[in-house]
């Protein structure tokens, strides 16, 4: 499989925007159970803004493209989750600045910086019922993949993300509005971790169709 190029990354952002729109109601319902119920509005808005920002870009530096996407997200969706995901894209973009092609190694570097940015900005660690609980296992799976073909590496990352999401049902929320529920947050699927799975699933879906 050939590496990802600028047009692939832009198309993947478009697919992510469509996927967030498709899951709008599901995200709203999950967030309403633990938060203020706006996740189904902010995520489609954030990813649509990111796609629109870079859709006509002539820039071939994928790192710069993803950084621009993150900046557009931050402006369009200045909510807690919007800010965290935007930070992830900006940190990830900077980590691969200068890259005009992404093989599995570069994609792994992007995701490691992505999740580290979210952890630093949100002051969250794995096991605290947040987006980190799906994205960190995915990032670690990609890092462990080495030179494995990208589609297979992303399949492993998606499997790890989904397992991480499932594990949030046994966790007690430690951050944001969900933390107000304390023990009552146990047995509930984390909305942010659901967004993390959708990000990995959308990228895997795009790569599988290449």
């Amino acid at each position: 499989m050939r590496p990802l190029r600028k047009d692939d990354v832009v198309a993947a952002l478009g697919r992510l925007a469509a996927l967030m729109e498709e899951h709008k109601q599901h995200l709203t319902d999950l967030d309403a159970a633990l938060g203020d119920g706006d996740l189904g509005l902010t995520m489609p808005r954030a990813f649509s803004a990111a796609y629109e920002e870079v859709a006509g870009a002539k820039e071939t530096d994928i790192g710069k493209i993803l950084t621009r996407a993150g900046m557009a997200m931050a402006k369009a969706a200045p909510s807690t989750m919007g800010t965290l995901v935007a930070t992830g894209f900006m940190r990830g973009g900077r980590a691969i600045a200068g890259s005009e092609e992404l093989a599995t190694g570069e994609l792994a570097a992007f995701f490691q910086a992505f999740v580290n940015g979210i952890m630093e900005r949100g002051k969250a660690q794995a096991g605290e019922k947040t987006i980190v609980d799906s994205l960190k296992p995915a990032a670690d799976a990609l890092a462990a993949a080495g030179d494995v073909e990208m589609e297979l590496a992303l399949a492993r990352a998606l499997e790890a993300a989904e397992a991480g999401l499932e594990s949030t049902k046994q966790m007690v929320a430690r951050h944001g509005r969900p933390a107000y529920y304390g023990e009552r947050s146990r047995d509930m699927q984390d909305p942010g971790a659901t967004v993390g799975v959708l990000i990995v699933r959308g990228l895997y879906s795009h790569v599988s169709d290449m």
Side-chain angles (χ1 to χ4, degrees), residues 7-19:
D7 288 345
D8 300 310
V9 171
V10 171
L13 284 170
R15 183 168 296 213
L16 285 173
L19 194 60

Side-chain angles (χ1 to χ4, degrees), residues 15-89:
R15 183 168 296 213
L16 285 173
L19 194 60
M20 295 298 169
E21 182 66 29
E22 178 186 341
H23 287 80
K24 174 189 286 188
Q25 190 59 53
H26 182 48
L27 292 174
T28 296
D29 293 344
L30 288 172
D31 195 38
L34 286 172
D36 54 15
D38 70 344
L39 195 63
L41 298 175
T42 57
M43 288 298 95
R45 185 184 305 142
F47 280 89
S48 291
Y51 175 64
E52 290 168 8
E53 172 67 22
V54 302
K58 293 183 171 50
E59 177 66 65
T60 58
D61 183 329
I62 295 173
K64 289 183 178 179
I65 288 171
L66 291 170
T67 301
R68 279 180 58 185
M71 293 171 68
M73 286 181 171
K75 183 176 180 180
S79 63
T80 299
M81 186 58 65
T83 299
L84 290 174
V85 174
T87 298
F89 271 93

